[in-house]
Amino acid sequence: MLIAQSIPELRHLLRHAQRPAFVPTMGNLHDGHLALLAKARELGDVSVASIFVNRLQFLPHEDFDSYPRTRAEDEAKLRAAGCDVLFAPREADLYPEPQTFKVVPDAALANLLEGEFRPGFFTGVCTVVMKLFSAVFAGKPEGVAVFGKKDYQQLMVIRRMVQQFALPIDIVAADTSRAEDGLALSSRNRYLSPEERAQALQLAQALRALGAQALAAGHSLAGTPASTLAELESAALAQLSAQGWQPDYLTVRRRADLLAPQPGDGAGSLVVLGAARLGSTRLIDNLEI
């Protein structure tokens, strides 16, 4: 595995690549990241992973300083998984001057859900991803980038950004990787105590229950009044709160645009999404229904 720290070094290493396959990460890698890399290796002529904890997507009160940084472990995992090139810039390499030009995504998509509770988050995500795309794919006829469905809204925002800027990059979605007991893999799972780790399954369970109840209420939601769906969502929030969580949202949305279901939207076109804090750890998950 070759390692680049600067953008010029990365571009030099990729000078002969025709279709790089890229997996951007913030490090602290787990099996979910390695599953993304395995998919990337199938889709390009050189596999590239990045490790960069992006300050721009953290709010002032969030965990930028304490976010787990496990560079040596990450390198070993990537080597074992067959990664061809690792891009591991320092902050000064990616942002040599204050990043005053930023990519601001469409508020109709980016200000919902995660964007409501983490204002500015997707501007930080889009800005760093655009810069990483520029570093990896500059001068290439085409490329592919692999993102996980666990960050469902992020995947949609990135896909829309690529479409809007007509970038020659295929955005490939990979299914959420889960532990044997069903918990969605996340770098932030490391924050959970053993007791919290056992309790963390309740978020996925709440999403499954809400999805089943919503479909049962109208068989396909086609005839489900908005008030009924809102009542189901409120009940799900209340139940999760009673179990000791601090939920931000549990909601059923359309996969196409993350708006509320409309008459005619049925099974196969919907997604249940949730975000909630357990102790000091904020977890997200989703389930397509």
Side-chain angles (χ1 to χ4, degrees):
M1 183 176 72
L2 303 174
I3 301 176
Q5 179 175 288
S6 70
I7 292 176
E9 288 172 344
L10 177 66
R11 288 175 174 165
H12 178 72
L13 293 179
L14 297 178
R15 64 193 182 280
H16 299 306
Q18 293 298 303
R19 182 177 166 84
F22 179 43
V23 179
T25 85
M26 292 205 302
N28 192 28
L29 303 182
H30 51 67
D31 287 346
H33 295 111
L34 301 182
L36 302 183
L37 180 65
K39 182 175 285 290
R41 293 184 66 211
E42 300 172 356
L43 300 172
D45 60 352
V46 58
S47 60
V48 185
S50 67
I51 295 175
F52 182 70
V53 183
N54 177 42
R55 185 186 299 271
L56 297 185
Q57 68 193 67
F58 287 79
L59 299 181
H61 67 279
E62 293 183 334
D63 57 343
F64 174 79
D65 291 328
S66 62
Y67 192 86
R69 291 162 171 84
T70 54
R71 173 69 180 274
E73 296 174 22
D74 294 344
E75 281 192 28
K77 290 178 180 179
L78 290 172
R79 288 182 192 277
C83 181
D84 295 316
V85 176
L86 168 62
F87 181 41
R90 300 167 305 180
E91 192 162 22
D93 296 311
L94 210 57
Y95 301 129
E97 57 184 287
Q99 189 69 32
T100 55
F101 282 64
K102 297 180 181 179
V103 180
V104 180
D106 181 3
L109 175 60
N111 286 4
L112 306 171
L113 304 174
E114 285 298 286
E116 178 182 351
F117 289 91
R118 304 181 70 189
F121 170 69
F122 287 116
T123 294
V125 168
C126 288
T127 300
V128 75
V129 170
M130 182 67 86
K131 201 154 194 178
L132 290 170
F133 281 178
S134 174
V136 173
F137 299 113
K140 305 302 180 187
E142 60 179 355
V144 58
V146 183
F147 290 83
K149 285 186 179 181
K150 187 181 82 69
D151 297 289
Y152 203 90
Q153 188 175 7
Q154 173 178 280
L155 169 66
M156 293 183 64
V157 168
I158 296 301
R159 181 169 278 153
R160 193 78 59 86
M161 180 183 78
V162 167
Q163 292 171 346
Q164 287 268 310
F165 286 102
L167 302 179
I169 303 168
D170 293 331
I171 302 300
V172 174
D175 289 336
T176 301
S177 294
R178 298 183 180 274
E180 290 185 3
D181 60 4
L183 180 67
L185 298 186
S186 168
S187 295
R188 288 187 168 92
N189 290 351
R190 179 175 292 217
Y191 296 152
L192 299 170
S193 69
E195 294 78 13
E196 289 171 338
R197 171 60 182 81
Q199 190 179 355
L201 294 173
Q202 294 168 343
L203 178 58
Q205 292 166 354
L207 294 176
R208 286 196 297 271
L210 176 58
Q213 292 164 2
L215 291 177
H219 301 290
S220 70
L221 288 187
T224 304
S227 58
T228 300
L229 185 56
E231 290 169 1
L232 293 174
E233 292 173 347
S234 294
L237 287 168
Q239 182 173 357
L240 199 59
S241 296
Q243 293 172 316
W245 293 71
Q246 296 173 289
D248 287 338
Y249 57 85
L250 290 173
T251 186
V252 180
R253 298 296 175 98
R254 302 195 304 192
R255 297 184 199 178
D257 52 19
L258 295 186
L259 297 179
Q262 300 298 311
D265 293 329
S269 66
L270 304 169
V271 58
V272 189
L273 307 105
R277 193 174 300 277
L278 181 59
S280 62
T281 306
R282 188 176 186 271
L283 301 177
I284 65 171
D285 201 352
N286 64 80
L287 174 68
E288 292 181 325
I289 59 173

